[in-house]
Amino acid sequence: MTMLRDPSVKYSAFPQIPLGTREWPGRTITQAPIWLSTDMRDGNQALIDPMDAEKKARFFDLLVRIGLKEIEVGFPSAGATEYDFISGLVRDGRIPDDVTPQVLTQSRADLIRTSFDSLAGAKTAIVHVYNAVSPAWRKIVFGMDMADIKQIAIDGAKQLRDNAARLPQTNWRFEYSPETFSTAELDFSIEVCAAVMDILQPTTDNPIILNLPATVEAATANIYADQIEYFGKNLPNRDRALISLHTHNDRGTGVAAAELGLLAGADRVEGCLFGNGERTGNTCLVTIALNMYTQGVDPELDFSNIDEVIQTVEYCNQLPVHPRHPYGGELVYTAFSGSHQDAIKKGFAARERQNDERWEVPYLPIDPADLGRSYEAVIRVNSQSGKGGVAWVLEQDKGLKLPKKMQASFSHVVQALADETSRELGAEDIWGAFDHAYLVTEGKRFQLVDWSETHSGPDRIFAGKLTIDGATRSVSGRGNGLMSSVIAALAESGGPIMDIVDYSEHAIGQGSKVQAAAYVECRTADGKSIFGCGLDTDVATASVRAILSAANGAE
């Protein structure tokens, strides 16, 4: 079977929502929502090998450290493993006073009772009941009509009420989900939720949580936002309900749907770290939170050490975080392209000059340092890289600030090495190439042994001992400055005829360990540009070494 040339015979476009005036497109997210992590329930049930008690405990502790205040800890009626872990959290006092555990259950009396029992003794807890309400589920899965489906929800609400009364030592809160909301009739979803509210009698001080899931993402994110806004505008006693979002990623827009749902008036977001979950996953809490952060909004979640978060999630889920996952992926702050590298390098240079707290670096929507990442991996070098990337690595790794023309010249050396090796080049590779091209004198024609300088009127006289072609020789030269006198000495000793085009220097390090780096661009008699670099604790010696480095490059 192949893809249909006319898919409309098999699939129908999702209808528009009858929302007269949309308010959400003109709004902006200005504060964090209530967050709920469902990693230990929705995420766990989507794993090939579900988490054992040790992994669950580790994941729970991570969620608490990040700052989650509501955590769906499992599905206690699913079996003894789930029940024992959840009840153990309560019994062992592992739930902080400001964290509310939540459990999920189908709308059945025995399952609801078990769910309450698993959290008995907790200071505060949420019991979350659901039943599917959409036409496909009514017709295909249950064989029920609307009245039957509504009655399931009402019966579940009564069980919530009665079990809470049975265990009054806990402050019980309630959540109801019209599962498959995204593909159900909006007015029917509102009718069912209103019926549940009539039973539970929520107040503005103790509101019910109404979770409106995109159980299967079936439309564009703007449609979901319309559904949320329509629901909020037409729900009786809206002020007695918190609207919660639970978006999946079947169309690849779970994050967008959740963000637009917040614009549409929702109060709460359910999801998983790095988007784990059934099929294509739940919405990614990390992405939504850090999207807010980059817009100047405190997400009230802490990802200051995002690598630790990733390590724990990967260990517990036994699933890798994709290298290109927003904010967390290994490669998301890394530029290989030459033009990207150049722009990033200039962005960091501008920050140093301006000393501006405002973040404005091309290609980097967030400062990696805010998430505990170093700048070392921001630019990595391969055959696609340019001079800016190579210069960045040398500056970050060795403190060298190559002049622009020298960057371009040395990038050809690195390019040849990358083509030869057909792999990414690390900092050691680049440093080795630079060292061999400009600094190492062994095997080169000119090597410095010793030198001194004297003055004769306006002239400077360089007197040096050099190894030239393997033999140690005394040389001297006269010029109007130190470097010109070194060039004269080389010319009188059979070296290349050169003129200085450009010279620069800077310090590396601080205090007693400071070192000088000197760079020189020379032009040979035939018009060729050659470059040299010298390093030494004495800046004058560094400049002498730079001239000799250039002379070696002319041979």
Side-chain angles (χ1 to χ4, degrees):
M1 186 173 179
T2 59
M3 289 181 65
L4 302 173
R5 296 279 59 84
D6 180 13
S8 65
V9 301
K10 189 173 184 178
Y11 303 99
S12 299
F14 203 92
Q16 293 289 319
I17 306 303
L19 192 62
T21 302
R22 291 170 176 80
E23 296 181 32
W24 65 262
R27 293 175 179 162
T28 301
I29 296 174
T30 58
Q31 64 182 31
I34 301 167
W35 301 105
L36 174 101
S37 162
T38 186
D39 288 272
M40 299 175 68
R41 196 279 301 170
D42 201 335
N44 187 48
Q45 71 187 42
L47 299 177
I48 299 170
D49 297 309
M51 289 181 271
D52 58 20
E54 185 271 334
K55 288 188 172 75
K56 286 181 180 178
R58 185 176 296 200
F59 212 127
F60 180 81
D61 291 342
L62 171 69
L63 295 171
V64 171
R65 287 200 304 276
I66 289 170
L68 270 299
K69 301 304 181 185
E70 296 185 3
I71 302 173
E72 197 162 59
V73 292
F75 206 136
S77 61
T81 301
E82 286 279 279
Y83 184 96
D84 291 344
F85 171 75
I86 294 166
S87 60
L89 286 176
V90 178
R91 182 179 60 252
D92 298 339
R94 296 197 53 181
I95 303 172
D97 287 345
D98 63 345
V99 173
T100 301
Q102 174 174 304
V103 294
L104 180 73
T105 176
Q106 294 163 310
S107 185
R108 280 176 39 191
D110 56 333
L111 304 184
I112 293 173
R113 185 181 183 90
T114 298
S115 300
F116 272 86
D117 288 343
S118 72
L119 286 173
K123 179 181 178 181
T124 303
I126 301 170
V127 179
H128 178 187
V129 168
Y130 73 95
N131 67 299
V133 299
S134 67
W137 267 256
R138 296 197 306 262
K139 178 177 65 176
I140 299 171
V141 180
F142 303 122
M144 294 181 175
D145 59 19
M146 286 182 169
D148 295 328
I149 295 296
K150 180 179 176 181
Q151 191 59 48
I152 291 174
I154 291 172
D155 292 342
K158 291 178 179 178
Q159 289 296 322
L160 291 176
R161 179 196 61 195
D162 295 345
N163 277 279
R166 179 173 64 88
L167 299 168
Q169 68 272 31
T170 296
N171 175 27
W172 297 104
R173 297 170 54 200
F174 307 126
E175 177 171 350
Y176 172 71
S177 287
E179 193 197 7
T180 66
F181 165 84
S182 56
T183 52
E185 304 92 339
L186 278 169
D187 290 331
F188 181 57
S189 293
I190 292 170
E191 179 184 340
V192 172
C193 289
V196 169
M197 292 176 69
D198 286 342
I199 300 298
L200 295 175
Q201 291 295 300
T203 64
T204 54
D205 293 330
N206 187 26
I208 187 173
I209 301 167
L210 295 177
N211 183 46
L212 306 180
T215 305
V216 176
E217 188 177 38
T220 52
N222 64 296
I223 296 291
Y224 184 68
D226 282 353
Q227 291 174 320
I228 300 303
E229 184 166 328
Y230 183 98
F231 184 95
K233 286 181 173 178
N234 292 279
L235 177 73
N237 300 309
R238 167 66 178 90
D239 61 335
R240 302 178 188 179
L242 296 173
I243 293 181
S244 188
L245 309 175
H246 185 114
T247 58
H248 279 263
N249 205 40
D250 300 273
R251 291 172 54 92
T253 56
V255 166
E259 290 181 325
L260 298 191
L262 288 174
L263 295 177
D267 309 290
R268 185 174 185 256
V269 172
E270 302 186 4
C272 292
L273 302 183
F274 303 107
N276 182 40
E278 293 177 301
R279 303 181 309 282
T280 55
N282 294 272
T283 194
C284 174
L285 297 183
V286 178
T287 302
I288 298 177
L290 293 179
N291 281 351
M292 292 180 187
Y293 182 80
T294 63
Q295 301 300 300
V297 176
D298 179 6
E300 300 176 11
L301 297 178
D302 187 1
F303 295 107
S304 296
N305 190 347
I306 201 166
D307 287 332
E308 179 195 15
V309 177
I310 291 171
Q311 290 166 7
T312 302
V313 171
E314 289 184 331
Y315 169 75
C316 294
N317 288 344
Q318 293 295 292
L319 291 173
V321 172
H322 195 281
R324 299 293 183 189
H325 192 98
Y327 301 108
E330 179 185 357
L331 298 177
V332 297
Y333 306 114
T334 301
F336 291 101
S337 162
S339 61
H340 291 209
Q341 292 171 342
D342 184 61
I344 291 171
K345 183 174 179 291
K346 289 176 179 175
F348 277 104
R351 281 182 60 77
E352 289 184 6
R353 290 194 305 269
Q354 299 167 3
N355 194 27
D356 189 353
E357 291 187 6
R358 287 286 170 184
W359 181 255
E360 190 177 21
V361 176
Y363 293 112
L364 294 178
I366 193 172
D367 185 349
D370 288 356
L371 307 181
R373 292 271 176 91
S374 71
Y375 295 139
E376 293 178 5
V378 169
I379 290 177
R380 290 162 59 176
V381 175
N382 63 13
S383 60
Q384 302 297 311
S385 303
K387 63 182 186 298
V390 173
W392 166 269
V393 173
L394 282 175
E395 182 174 347
Q396 295 298 307
D397 194 53
K398 297 296 182 180
L400 298 179
K401 301 177 181 180
L402 274 61
K404 284 189 176 181
K405 289 185 179 180
M406 191 174 185
Q407 293 177 23
S409 178
F410 179 56
S411 70
H412 294 306
V413 176
V414 175
Q415 181 74 45
L417 179 60
D419 289 338
E420 178 185 340
T421 58
S422 298
R423 63 174 174 82
E424 179 189 351
L425 301 181
E428 290 185 2
D429 296 313
I430 295 170
W431 171 246
F434 186 86
D435 192 34
H436 182 266
Y438 300 108
L439 303 178
V440 171
T441 58
E442 185 177 353
K444 302 289 180 66
R445 187 178 179 193
F446 302 101
Q447 301 176 40
L448 179 65
V449 178
D450 195 10
W451 74 280
S452 62
E453 180 188 22
T454 58
H455 294 263
S456 177
D459 293 337
R460 309 272 285 274
I461 299 173
F462 171 80
K465 186 178 290 185
L466 307 179
T467 299
I468 303 176
D469 296 328
T472 301
R473 296 171 53 183
S474 295
V475 300
S476 65
R478 180 185 293 264
N480 60 5
L482 174 60
M483 289 185 289
S484 61
S485 65
V486 176
I487 287 176
L490 287 172
E492 293 174 11
S493 306
I497 307 299
M498 305 185 300
D499 292 322
I500 297 175
V501 176
D502 188 39
Y503 172 81
S504 62
E505 63 187 42
H506 66 80
I508 302 174
Q510 295 179 343
S512 61
K513 296 183 179 180
V514 70
Q515 192 175 34
Y519 310 96
V520 64
E521 178 189 355
C522 296
R523 184 178 294 112
T524 62
D526 59 1
K528 176 184 176 183
S529 288
I530 52 177
F531 298 87
C533 177
L535 303 179
D536 200 272
T537 54
D538 174 64
V539 66
T541 302
S543 64
V544 172
R545 293 186 185 280
I547 294 293
L548 296 178
S549 171
N552 283 325
E555 298 299 311

